[in-house]
Amino acid sequence: MVTQTIDLRSDTVTKPTETMRLAMAKAEVDDDVLVYDPTARQLEKEMARVTGKEAALFVPSGTMGNLISVLVHCEIRGSEVILGDNSHIHIYENGGISTLGGVHPRPVKNNDDGTIDIGLIQTAIRNPDFEICYPKTRLICLENSHANTGGRCLSVEYTDQVGELAKKHGLKLHIDGARIFNASAALKVPVDRLVQAADSVSVCLSKGLGAPVGSVIVGTEAFIARARILRKTLGGGMRQVGVLCAAALVALQENVPKLVTDHKNAKTLAGLNKIKGLSVDIASVETNIVYFEILKGSHITALKLGKIMEEHGILLMPDSSSRVRIVIHHQVSASDVQYTLSCIKQAMTGVTDENCGT
Ligand SMILES: Cc1ncc(COP(=O)(O)O)c(C=O)c1O
Ligand SMILES: C[C@@H](O)[C@H](N)C(=O)O
């Protein structure tokens, strides 16, 4: 009988720790719309410091963080944003920048490492001389780490180059930094240096950092002032939000140092590659996300494997009929990883043709 669940579906599944719950219970709060909730203020000042930006704003989700950031940069009608065709903003945020903000997306191919070719970005920038027909390019969006390519890290050199291109053309640069702390830990580059070229960043507190709720957007004072108003317009102005921010302050303290362990556990899990019938692009496992393919000749689908794993108390996220995503977080231990490897190995035994994957 399974007594404990190992939840590998995402790093959004973590439960608040005892320390977080204590901090939430004791949090000093006030109405964060009428004035500043003191604990929200404390978190925002800390996030501005860590990211090297002038100001910060707590928002209920990463989706809202990206939406507000794009809409502030693209407030003028007819604006266009250049973003990755495999980016979270383009794929998983309900097209909010268009449906709510009237911003035109200009998707450009993401490479397997999460970057977008600088030449392709340059080509995608609209020629202002033809404004009678063209939308106006106002923003470039990057995503670091890049979730859909397996948590790949964009280097500081690449980010700076995109920043220079943006500046040269009078554009702004936003980074969807849902997992920027993971990228920082993996690259051994401080967060503030990694996002130095960005005009705004949206940072998830509720992913690898393990806070129960929320994100923070950072940028200039003027940008955050506009963002605060737009947050209210979108219904994201909350009252005694310090209860949530207190947990996030604990997460920053307790869990940032644990990210390297998450990455080590992910690399151990890439050992799935040794199991007959499975394949992992080992080079792509740079942070806490592992995708694995079920090879032809393995008579099992991702869905079926997920169901078998559930019987062993392990939750996975099938990405397609033959591809599965695993995301490691601080509530997955090294022994959980070993148990997962052995359960998947057992499930794959007997369902794989002799010459499968050869
Ligand atoms: C890269 C990335 N950006 C943004 C988000 C959105 O965050 P939220 O789920 O808090 O809306 C997610 C996932 O949730 C994500 O993986
Ligand atoms: C699914 C996606 O929206 C979420 N960001 C995750 O990575 O789990």
Side-chain angles (χ1 to χ4, degrees):
M1 196 266 266
V2 170
T3 53
Q4 180 227 0
T5 299
I6 300 172
D7 197 342
L8 303 172
R9 292 172 297 167
S10 175
D11 46 5
T12 58
V13 301
T14 54
K15 306 287 186 294
T17 63
E18 272 321 296
T19 340
M20 287 180 193
R21 290 179 191 276
L22 263 176
M24 292 165 86
K26 291 191 321 192
E28 211 195 321
V29 295
D30 203 332
D31 183 325
D32 197 46
V33 172
L34 296 185
V35 280
Y36 290 115
D37 174 293
T39 309
R41 201 86 181 115
Q42 187 189 344
L43 173 67
E44 289 164 351
K45 279 170 85 170
E46 177 59 9
M47 287 301 286
R49 183 189 70 79
V50 169
T51 57
K53 303 301 178 189
E54 286 179 9
L57 181 71
F58 180 83
V59 290
S61 68
T63 298
M64 189 183 281
N66 286 327
L67 177 63
I68 290 174
S69 299
V70 173
L71 267 49
V72 171
H73 290 310
C74 299
E75 281 189 308
I76 301 171
R77 192 190 302 278
S79 296
E80 188 168 70
V81 54
I82 295 170
L83 76 176
D85 65 344
N86 199 12
S87 65
H88 195 274
I89 294 176
H90 192 56
I91 297 184
Y92 296 110
E93 301 183 8
N94 305 104
I97 62 170
S98 309
T99 49
L100 299 177
V103 180
H104 193 250
R106 187 82 189 268
V108 179
K109 188 180 173 316
N110 269 121
N111 297 316
D112 289 348
D113 64 0
T115 63
I116 307 171
D117 281 350
I118 298 219
L120 290 181
I121 297 177
Q122 171 120 21
T123 312
I125 297 171
R126 299 285 189 159
N127 178 346
D129 298 342
F130 204 40
E131 63 178 1
I132 188 70
C133 288
Y134 286 164
K136 178 126 178 74
T137 310
R138 285 205 164 81
L139 179 65
I140 300 170
C141 288
L142 297 177
E143 180 179 316
N144 196 12
S145 62
H146 193 274
N148 261 12
T149 52
R152 304 297 293 268
C153 302
L154 275 54
S155 71
V156 64
E157 293 78 14
Y158 169 79
T159 308
D160 286 353
Q161 278 174 20
V162 176
E164 274 147 40
L165 178 66
K167 262 201 179 55
K168 187 174 147 208
H169 291 271
L171 310 179
K172 298 294 184 188
L173 171 61
H174 172 70
I175 295 177
D176 173 356
R179 298 182 179 86
I180 196 71
F181 280 87
N182 290 86
S184 163
L187 295 171
K188 299 190 177 63
V189 174
V191 171
D192 61 340
R193 179 62 192 92
L194 203 45
V195 301
Q196 187 177 298
D199 296 282
S200 60
V201 190
S202 175
V203 183
C204 284
L205 303 160
S206 57
K207 294 201 169 52
L209 298 188
V213 174
S215 284
V216 170
I217 49 182
V218 293
T220 62
E221 293 282 1
F223 173 84
I224 292 297
R226 289 295 306 145
R228 182 179 296 278
I229 294 167
L230 202 48
R231 179 185 72 172
K232 186 74 175 68
T233 311
L234 294 168
M238 297 189 282
R239 304 297 173 177
Q240 288 68 29
V241 74
V243 177
L244 300 175
C245 296
L249 282 162
V250 171
L252 277 173
Q253 200 120 46
E254 283 185 350
N255 293 339
V256 171
K258 295 177 186 171
L259 295 174
V260 276
T261 307
D262 294 346
H263 301 168
K264 257 193 223 121
N265 283 335
K267 284 193 174 35
T268 305
L269 209 56
L272 288 165
N273 197 48
K274 297 193 190 92
I275 297 174
K276 198 172 181 50
L278 301 182
S279 127
V280 175
D281 172 5
I282 303 281
S284 72
V285 183
E286 296 176 350
T287 54
N288 66 326
I289 300 177
V290 182
Y291 278 98
F292 67 89
E293 286 293 335
I294 302 175
L295 299 176
K296 279 200 177 55
S298 315
H299 305 291
I300 187 168
T301 63
L303 208 58
K304 177 70 183 151
L305 180 62
K307 290 221 173 339
I308 296 170
M309 287 302 106
E310 213 168 323
E311 289 159 15
H312 294 279
I314 298 167
L315 303 181
L316 303 177
M317 177 88 82
D319 185 55
S320 74
S321 58
S322 64
R323 184 167 139 99
V324 179
R325 183 187 77 160
I326 287 181
V327 186
I328 300 287
H329 49 81
H330 77 99
Q331 289 171 341
V332 175
S333 67
S335 58
D336 292 337
V337 167
Q338 292 304 331
Y339 174 66
T340 301
L341 282 166
S342 67
C343 290
I344 292 178
K345 185 169 184 193
Q346 191 187 357
M348 291 304 292
T349 312
V351 293
T352 310
D353 289 349
E354 268 320 296
N355 57 356
C356 168
T358 48

